[in-house]
Amino acid sequence: MEFHTKVFTQRINLWMTDENARQLIFAIQAVLARTVAQLIGVGRVRMWCDQALYKEPWANATSWHMDVPYWSFDSMKAVTAWVPLDDATLCNGCMHFLPGSQKLASNHYAEHGAFRETKIGKNMADIFETYPEAAGLESHAVEMRAGSVSFHNGVLIHGAGANMTAGRRRAMTMQYMPDGMVFNGKQNILTDEQVAALKPGDKLTDDSQNPLLYAAAN
């Protein structure tokens, strides 16, 4: 647990708790949510959540993981937008990706009917116990300037390096899902009350929790 608390500081759904954050997050969706819809080929996109992820000075590395296996729905078309608020470099913990790993996840889901959740822990290689073929993929580090944005599939294996500097590496992320996703039984960010009111297969279309951010014109 101590290791994990020194990986990053995390705050979820700032749009619900801070009016300034809400205004900023919704103001940029005309670009971000539309781009997500175009990338995944759907007409309507909802927010799953937003997250502030700060790597504090000397923070530990973020081990290889996927996003979707944590979430309360299953989809090959979920997307995370990652926006650095500081320049993200090899020294302070920029993102690393394993291109092609999303195809392995698709094959795994087709075989098992579920995505296996791999916790962010001390061992970078834990995810390869589930996806051994991914261990042979080439890792790509992506340094980014503050204010830029990257988009990655929610089942693309990714991680981040340690922060080897005395400054913070701050980032804001937004997670998107196609409209019409259904509850898979996992709580994740949902409240106890919300989970009690849902059953597997129910659509996640509550605008107070998962607002519709983009709808293509008819």
Side-chain angles (χ1 to χ4, degrees):
M1 185 65 181
E2 181 181 0
F3 179 91
H4 186 269
T5 61
K6 294 181 179 178
V7 173
F8 48 66
T9 299
Q10 180 184 42
R11 296 293 183 270
I12 296 175
N13 277 341
L14 296 180
W15 76 272
M16 293 183 175
T17 59
D18 185 275
E19 183 58 28
N20 290 329
R22 177 188 175 88
Q23 291 182 16
L24 175 60
I25 288 168
F26 279 83
I28 60 179
Q29 296 313 315
V31 174
L32 294 188
R34 184 181 70 242
T35 300
V36 169
Q38 292 170 344
L39 286 171
I40 62 178
V42 302
R44 293 163 65 89
V45 170
R46 289 184 180 273
M47 179 187 290
W48 175 238
C49 68
D50 68 63
Q51 296 184 76
L53 297 172
Y54 287 16
K55 275 198 177 293
E56 304 293 348
W58 321 117
N60 294 322
T62 309
S63 60
W64 292 121
H65 65 284
M66 299 174 179
D67 294 334
V68 168
Y70 292 97
W71 298 346
S72 305
F73 64 95
D74 296 328
S75 176
M76 290 297 300
K77 289 191 172 184
V79 171
T80 293
W82 198 87
V83 181
L85 305 180
D86 304 292
D87 290 349
T89 69
L90 289 171
C91 292
N92 71 2
C94 71
M95 295 280 281
H96 295 247
F97 300 96
L98 290 181
S101 56
Q102 75 277 12
K103 298 176 183 178
L104 302 177
S106 177
N107 294 338
H108 184 274
Y109 187 83
E111 180 178 352
H112 300 282
F115 296 110
R116 180 179 173 184
E117 183 177 317
T118 302
K119 299 292 186 183
I120 296 175
K122 294 182 180 180
N123 299 316
M124 289 295 293
D126 280 352
I127 200 166
F128 301 137
E129 294 179 9
T130 302
Y131 303 97
E133 304 95 327
L137 297 175
E138 182 178 354
S139 171
H140 289 259
V142 180
E143 295 187 285
M144 297 174 62
R145 297 296 299 270
S148 56
V149 59
S150 70
F151 298 91
H152 65 263
N153 189 290
V155 293
L156 179 72
I157 296 175
H158 59 285
N163 185 356
M164 303 297 288
T165 75
R168 280 176 155 179
R169 189 235 62 193
R170 300 171 298 172
M172 189 71 189
T173 72
M174 280 149 285
Q175 281 74 38
Y176 301 89
M177 61 183 184
D179 188 26
M181 293 294 97
V182 299
F183 182 52
N184 62 11
K186 296 180 182 178
Q187 180 165 11
N188 191 231
I189 62 169
L190 301 176
T191 65
D192 291 341
E193 291 76 16
Q194 288 170 324
V195 171
L198 289 167
K199 61 181 184 297
D202 285 349
K203 287 188 176 182
L204 297 169
T205 53
D206 179 356
D207 285 315
S208 68
Q209 175 67 37
N210 304 117
L212 184 69
L213 298 178
Y214 176 80
N218 294 326

